[in-house]
């Protein structure tokens, strides 16, 4: 039975070559996956993913493997950089494919929802005959939709914004002597009020009414503006200050997925807190087993780890009331690490190991 599983067929050639090189280094050193995890500080599960092409190893793991196998780290990191670019390209192609699928689905859904285009009857700017504008003699014309104030201002020449002559055009005396040409929208003349039929009091009333309407509209606009301003001011005053934890998480480096309390009970490697972001805050030796406090300042969290352990050995990390434990379960494994506990500083965490063979217990300072 071969030691390594076949790499996925869809794997990029650059990544395939890099992964094969990692396998050759492990084979040449006569190492098992468990021993590689023990000596590099990265978990056995992670190395199984790296060596089977399911996940690209971080640069810190590659440097650690080079030190363990006596390989020039410069050459290995050069190959890693090429593989990392290929991995990014593969992810980009996947994202573009998924985006294209979503766009196609959206277009298909819109095509199903959209009805047939409306038939004729839209307004035209041509000069053809128009219903209800100028009918035969003795027939009362229908009134077309009235233009807006903007259309009235923009209208010029012999037509309005629709290119339709005014309905009263061609009817002598519609606006009296001096009425504008057909299609014009000048102000209508005042109705005669005196014996002479000239402009009289109705014109003054109309202007007064227009002035009052305009003044009322201005007051409404001002009142609405004051109401909106006061409402926004109340909202601003009632808005709670942002939570410190939310602000901190928004400023996390790329790849880091938690910080502080949000890291409680999470796997350090999955949440991006390990690798170059971790330090050993404390250690102790219990028999032949080493117990450590692993601390990530960026994630504001710590976890316990034991190495050179045997099956059944247990590790515990504690900080205040927060505790996490783990043990070596599989035969041949020598490393175990707990989930994370949130800490304000590295000195808050304490790690302990209990040996299954002797029951001996030891803790970090």
């Amino acid at each position: 039975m071969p030691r390594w599983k076949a790499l996925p067929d869809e794997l990029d050639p650059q990544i395939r070559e890099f992964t094969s090189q990692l396998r050759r280094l492990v084979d040449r050193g006569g190492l098992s996956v468990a021993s590689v995890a023990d000596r590099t500080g990265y978990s056995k599960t992670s190395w199984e993913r790296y060596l089977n092409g399911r996940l690209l190893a971080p640069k810190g793991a590659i440097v650690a493997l080079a030190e363990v196998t006596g390989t020039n780290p410069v050459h290995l990191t050069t190959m890693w950089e090429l593989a990392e670019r290929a991995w990014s390209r593969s992810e980009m192609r996947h994202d573009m494919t998924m985006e294209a699928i979503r766009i196609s689905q959206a277009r298909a859904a819109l095509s199903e929802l959209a009805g047939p285009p409306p038939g004729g009857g839209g307004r035209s700017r041509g000069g053809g005959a128009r219903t209800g504008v100028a009918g035969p003699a003795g027939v009362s014309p229908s009134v077309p939709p009235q233009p807006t104030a903007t259309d009235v201002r923009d209208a010029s020449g012999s037509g309005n914004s629709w290119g339709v002559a005014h309905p009263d055009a061609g009817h002598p005396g519609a606006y009296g002597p001096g009425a504008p040409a057909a299609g014009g929208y000048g102000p209508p003349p005042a109705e005669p009020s005196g014996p002479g039929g000239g402009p009289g009091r109705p014109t003054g009333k109309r202007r007064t009414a227009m002035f009052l309407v305009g003044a009322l509209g201005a007051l409404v606009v001002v009142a609405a503006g004051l109401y909106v301003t006061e409402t926004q001011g109340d909202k601003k005053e009632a808005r709670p200050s942002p939570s410190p934890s939310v602000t901190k998480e928004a400023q996390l480096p790329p790849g880091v997925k938690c910080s502080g309390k949000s890291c409680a009970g999470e796997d350090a490697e999955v949440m991006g807190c390990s690798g170059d972001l971790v330090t050993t805050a404390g250690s102790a030796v219990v028999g032949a087993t080493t117990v450590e406090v692993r601390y990530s300042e960026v994630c504001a969290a710590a976890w316990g780890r034991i190495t050179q352990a045997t099956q059944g050995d247990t590790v515990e990390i504690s900080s205040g009331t927060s505790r996490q434990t783990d043990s070596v379960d599989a035969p041949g494994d020598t490393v175990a690490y707990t989930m994370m506990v949130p800490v304000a500083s590295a000195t808050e965490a304490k790690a302990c190991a209990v040996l299954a063979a002797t029951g001996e217990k030891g803790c970090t300072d």
Side-chain angles (χ1 to χ4, degrees):
M1 180 177 178
R3 180 183 183 186
W4 304 110
K5 297 179 182 179
L7 294 174
D9 295 335
E10 65 273 12
L11 204 61
D12 185 274
Q14 198 75 52
I15 303 173
R16 179 183 295 272
E17 180 183 358
F18 176 69
T19 305
S20 300
Q21 180 63 33
L22 295 182
R23 290 180 171 185
R24 285 193 290 270
L25 290 176
V26 173
D27 290 338
R28 188 177 63 187
L31 303 171
S32 65
V33 178
S35 60
V36 171
D38 184 17
R39 299 187 185 186
T40 60
Y42 289 79
S43 69
K44 179 183 176 182
T45 302
S46 298
W47 274 112
E48 288 175 348
R49 294 172 182 169
Y50 304 155
L51 295 170
N52 285 304
R54 297 198 303 269
L55 186 66
L56 184 66
K59 191 174 183 180
I62 299 309
V63 174
L65 179 63
E67 294 176 355
V68 169
T69 58
T71 306
N72 188 334
V74 175
H75 301 324
L76 196 58
T77 53
T78 299
M79 293 187 65
W80 175 84
E81 290 174 356
L82 297 175
E84 196 272 337
R85 294 174 188 172
W87 190 278
S88 299
R89 289 194 299 269
S90 298
E91 290 183 340
M92 185 178 299
R93 286 194 297 269
H94 174 75
D95 292 343
M96 293 176 66
T97 301
M98 296 305 297
E99 182 178 357
I101 292 174
R102 288 195 296 269
I103 291 175
S104 299
Q105 292 173 344
R107 287 176 176 170
L110 290 174
S111 298
E112 293 177 0
L113 294 175
R123 290 193 292 258
S124 171
R125 295 182 181 272
R130 301 177 187 275
T131 305
V133 174
V139 178
S140 176
S142 60
V143 181
Q146 296 300 309
T148 63
T150 305
D151 297 327
V152 172
R153 287 195 299 269
D154 293 341
S156 60
S158 60
N160 52 30
S161 61
W162 284 279
V164 180
H166 192 275
D168 290 328
H171 294 264
Y175 286 142
Y185 285 90
E191 297 178 1
S193 61
R201 293 174 59 187
T203 301
K205 290 182 178 180
R206 182 171 298 173
R207 290 180 179 175
T208 303
M210 292 177 64
F211 173 79
L212 292 176
V213 171
L216 180 60
L219 290 175
V220 171
V221 172
V222 173
L226 292 175
Y227 174 79
V228 171
T229 303
E230 291 177 357
T231 304
Q232 291 179 347
D234 294 340
K235 289 182 179 179
K236 289 181 179 178
E237 292 177 359
R239 186 178 302 162
S241 59
S243 172
S245 60
V246 174
T247 304
K248 186 174 183 180
E249 289 184 9
Q251 299 174 350
L252 294 177
V256 178
K257 303 176 184 178
C258 71
S259 179
K261 293 183 178 179
S262 61
C263 289
E266 300 290 346
D267 187 291
E269 187 152 1
V270 173
M271 303 306 289
C273 298
S274 60
D276 297 336
L277 302 178
V278 64
T279 59
T280 300
S283 64
V285 177
V286 185
T289 301
T290 300
V291 59
E292 299 171 307
V293 173
R294 304 286 284 170
Y295 170 68
S296 174
E297 182 179 2
V298 173
C299 295
W303 59 98
R305 183 179 74 172
I306 52 175
T307 56
Q308 282 84 40
T310 59
Q311 187 176 5
D313 290 353
T314 303
V315 58
E316 178 186 87
I317 186 75
S318 61
S319 175
T321 59
S322 300
R323 295 178 184 274
Q324 297 290 338
T325 60
D326 193 28
S327 60
V328 178
D329 297 325
D333 279 359
T334 59
V335 178
Y337 61 91
T338 69
M339 298 296 103
M340 293 185 285
V341 296
V343 294
S345 65
T347 57
E348 290 186 3
K350 178 182 179 180
C352 297
V354 178
L355 305 185
T358 62
E360 184 181 358
K361 180 178 181 179
C363 301
T364 60
D365 295 334

